[in-house]
Amino acid sequence: MDLSITGDPVLVHKDTQVQVGIHLEPGTLTVTRDGEDFAVYHALVQFASVDAAPWAAQEVKFSAAGADGQDTGFTVELFNDAFDGPRTDAPATVWKIVALAATSAGDIGITYAAPGRA
């Protein structure tokens, strides 16, 4: 392949979104919905920065398998209903996953701090 690239990449901070996927050890994380357990094996965390504001985690999409072997997905929205801060009722484990993804995202310039607990 003959390929030539010039210039330096610069992130656009107008309305930037980055998704970071992390694989999870099967059996280490379980989501229960309507009494049924699902083994989570992957999480996709979406970070966003609007108008050069600090990066924020918007949502986590989980991929999981049920007892019947069927794959399913779950999405946890991380902004509160007013979209002015983090959701206070999100499980602590979700924020741990966001922190793990943010560690990987640091390689591309994302800096992230988990929201404080009141």
Side-chain angles (χ1 to χ4, degrees):
M1 170 190 280
D2 186 20
L3 180 66
S4 176
I5 300 176
T6 59
D8 289 322
V10 176
L11 288 178
V12 176
H13 286 285
K14 200 89 170 123
D15 185 9
T16 304
Q17 293 183 346
V18 173
Q19 294 185 5
V20 179
I22 55 173
H23 296 291
L24 302 170
E25 185 71 34
T28 60
L29 188 66
T30 302
V31 172
T32 303
R33 180 179 68 185
D34 298 330
E36 185 177 354
D37 290 341
F38 297 88
V40 177
Y41 57 85
H42 190 264
L44 184 67
V45 181
Q46 183 179 68
F47 295 93
S49 175
V50 178
D51 294 328
W55 289 92
Q58 285 186 293
E59 67 181 18
V60 180
K61 293 181 181 180
F62 293 102
S63 297
D68 58 2
Q70 293 292 324
D71 286 339
T72 191
F74 302 94
T75 300
V76 177
E77 298 291 334
L78 298 176
F79 285 137
N80 61 24
D81 292 338
F83 294 101
D84 61 358
R87 191 172 284 287
T88 58
D89 61 349
T93 302
V94 170
W95 296 112
K96 289 179 184 178
I97 289 168
V98 169
L100 288 171
T103 300
S104 296
D107 295 339
I108 57 173
I110 290 177
T111 56
Y112 172 80
R117 296 282 181 204

